[in-house]
Amino acid sequence: MKPATRWITILAAASLSACATSTPEAPDTSMSFFITSANPGKGADLGGLAGADAYCAELAESVGVTGKTWKAYLSSSEEDARDRIGSGPWYNANGVMVASSVEDLLSDSNNLTKQTAVNESGEVVNGRGDEPNRHDILTGSAANGRSTGSTCDDWTSSTEGSATVGHHDRTGGGDDPTSWSSAHGSRGCSIDALQGTGGDGLFYCFAQ
C-alpha cells in the first residue's frame, strides 16, 4: 500500500471511531418534579422560600433522589415561581415527562394531570371527589407563573392573609378551576383554612 493511501485509510478509520464515540447521551428521566406528600406542619408557614426549598430536597432524598437542586414552585414579593425552577425538562417519579420547558409548563400543552402530578413516591394525590380532597396546591402564582401577592406573608405566616392555589387535577371551582397554578385563593393560611377549601398545604417541587 502506498504511503498516501495508508494515511487516508488511517484518517478514515479515526474519523469513523470519533463518530462512534460521540453518540448523544440518553436524557436523564429520573425524578425532577413532584407534589409534596404532606405539609411540613405549619400550613402556609413554610419557613419562607428557603424552608420550602429545603423541604423539597428532604422529600426527594427520602426516596433516594440526590445530587439535584430543588426549588418550590412558589412566588413571593421578591421572586416569581416561574423564574425559580430552571429550564426543564421535568419528569415525575414514574419517569413521565410533565413539561419540556418553562414555556411548555405554563402553556395548555403541558402534561400535568391528576395521574402525572404525583408525589415523591410516585403516588397519585387525592383530587376532587376523593376523601379527603387535597387538590388545592400552594403557589402564590398567576397562570403565567408570576406572583399574585397572595402568599401568606411570603410563606412565613399561618395566621395572616391568603394563598393562591392551583388544582393539580385540573377541575373544581374557583376563578380558573382547570389551572394547576392559579385556580383561586384560600380561606386563610392555617392548615385548617387550607383544608377548608379542598387542600392540605401541599406544593410543587422542581429540580433546577
Side-chain angles (χ1 to χ4, degrees), residues 51-63:
D53 294 343
Y55 189 59
C56 287
E58 177 185 330
L59 292 181
E61 290 172 6
S62 75
V63 294

Side-chain angles (χ1 to χ4, degrees), residues 136-155:
D136 285 359
I137 311 299
L138 300 172
T139 69
S141 307
N144 64 2
R146 305 291 185 191
S147 178
T148 61
S150 295
T151 62
C152 294
D153 198 15
D154 285 350
W155 314 109

Side-chain angles (χ1 to χ4, degrees), residues 42-44 152 157-161 187-196:
K42 296 181 180 180
C152 294
S157 176
S158 61
T159 59
E160 301 293 331
R187 292 179 182 173
C189 299
S190 68
I191 193 64
D192 289 341
L194 297 173
Q195 291 171 342

Side-chain angles (χ1 to χ4, degrees), residues 30-56:
S30 62
M31 184 178 73
S32 49
F33 160 82
F34 63 91
I35 294 176
T36 59
S37 57
N39 179 266
K42 296 181 180 180
D45 179 359
L46 305 173
L49 293 178
D53 294 343
Y55 189 59
C56 287

Side-chain angles (χ1 to χ4, degrees), residues 5-20:
T5 304
R6 183 175 58 192
W7 280 112
I8 291 172
T9 302
I10 293 171
L11 288 172
S15 178
L16 288 172
S17 177
C19 290

Side-chain angles (χ1 to χ4, degrees), residues 26-114:
D28 178 8
T29 60
S30 62
M31 184 178 73
S32 49
F33 160 82
F34 63 91
I35 294 176
T36 59
S37 57
N39 179 266
K42 296 181 180 180
D45 179 359
L46 305 173
L49 293 178
D53 294 343
Y55 189 59
C56 287
E58 177 185 330
L59 292 181
E61 290 172 6
S62 75
V63 294
V65 179
T66 60
K68 295 187 178 185
T69 300
W70 290 92
K71 295 291 184 178
Y73 182 86
L74 297 169
S75 292
S76 72
S77 59
E78 300 295 329
E79 295 183 72
D80 291 323
R82 62 179 295 152
D83 298 330
R84 312 191 72 243
I85 59 174
S87 58
W90 297 283
Y91 296 83
N92 68 15
N94 301 319
V96 177
M97 183 190 290
V98 296
S100 61
S101 64
V102 173
E103 291 73 21
D104 184 35
L105 178 68
L106 297 172
S107 75
D108 292 334
S109 65
N110 68 56
N111 189 32
L112 280 174
T113 68
K114 181 181 177 182

